[in-house]
Amino acid sequence: MASDPLDALRLTLMQEVLPVGLAVVERARRGGPRDVIEAFSAQADPLEQLRQEGEPAARQVRESLDRLQPGLGNPVMKVEVRDMQDDDPASGAPPAAEASDRQDLQHALARIAARLTQLEQRLQPEA
C-alpha cells in the first residue's frame, strides 16, 4: 500500500511533468528565456501546449528508461485477475446469451471477410 502513492507520483512525473519540463528546456535552449515566457503568455492553456511540444522527447526518455529497466519509464499497470465461475459447468451447451453473442461474432467476421475479399479484388491490377 505504501508504494501506491509513490507509483502514482512517478506516473504523474513521467506522463505530465516530464513532457512539460523537456519542452521548457528545449525552448530555453532554442530561444532563451524570452521564448519560455512567450509560451506562458501567448497560449490559453500553456501547459497543454508545452506538454504536446515535449511529448516526443519524453517518449524517447521513457523508452530509454524502459531499456535500462522494464517498467521504469512506462509503468506497468496493475490488474486484478479473478476466476469466473460458470453458471452450469455440468452442461456442455453454452447459455443462450453466449450462443447469441457467438453467432453475432460469426456474422461480423463473415462481413469482414467478404469486405476484405472485395478490397483485394479492387487492389489487384486488371489483366
Side-chain angles (χ1 to χ4, degrees), residues 5 22 25 39 41 44 46-47 55 57-58 63 71 79 82 95 100 103 117-118:
L22 289 174
V25 168
S41 62
L47 292 178
E55 184 56 36
E63 288 172 1
V79 296
R82 296 182 284 140
S100 174
Q103 187 178 17
T117 303
Q118 288 176 348

Side-chain angles (χ1 to χ4, degrees), residues 13-80:
L13 288 173
M14 287 294 170
Q15 300 291 332
E16 305 295 327
V17 177
L18 182 64
V20 173
L22 289 174
V24 168
V25 168
E26 178 59 27
R27 278 180 173 254
R29 186 187 66 76
R30 188 179 58 220
R34 180 174 291 168
D35 202 12
V36 174
I37 293 171
E38 179 183 305
F40 287 100
S41 62
Q43 301 293 325
D45 189 5
L47 292 178
E48 182 61 30
Q49 175 66 29
L50 289 171
R51 189 175 300 118
Q52 289 175 359
E53 286 179 23
E55 184 56 36
R59 189 177 312 115
Q60 289 177 348
V61 169
R62 289 190 299 262
E63 288 172 1
S64 296
L65 289 172
D66 276 342
R67 283 193 295 273
L68 182 67
Q69 180 180 354
L72 187 60
N74 293 305
V76 176
M77 302 306 287
K78 295 178 181 165
V79 296
E80 180 183 328

Side-chain angles (χ1 to χ4, degrees), residues 74-117:
N74 293 305
V76 176
M77 302 306 287
K78 295 178 181 165
V79 296
E80 180 183 328
V81 178
R82 296 182 284 140
D83 286 338
M84 301 290 290
Q85 297 295 328
D86 291 337
D87 289 338
D88 188 9
S91 88
E98 188 176 316
S100 174
D101 289 345
R102 189 170 291 175
Q103 187 178 17
D104 291 344
L105 176 62
Q106 294 215 347
H107 286 299
L109 290 173
R111 276 195 321 270
I112 292 170
R115 290 179 181 167
L116 282 173
T117 303

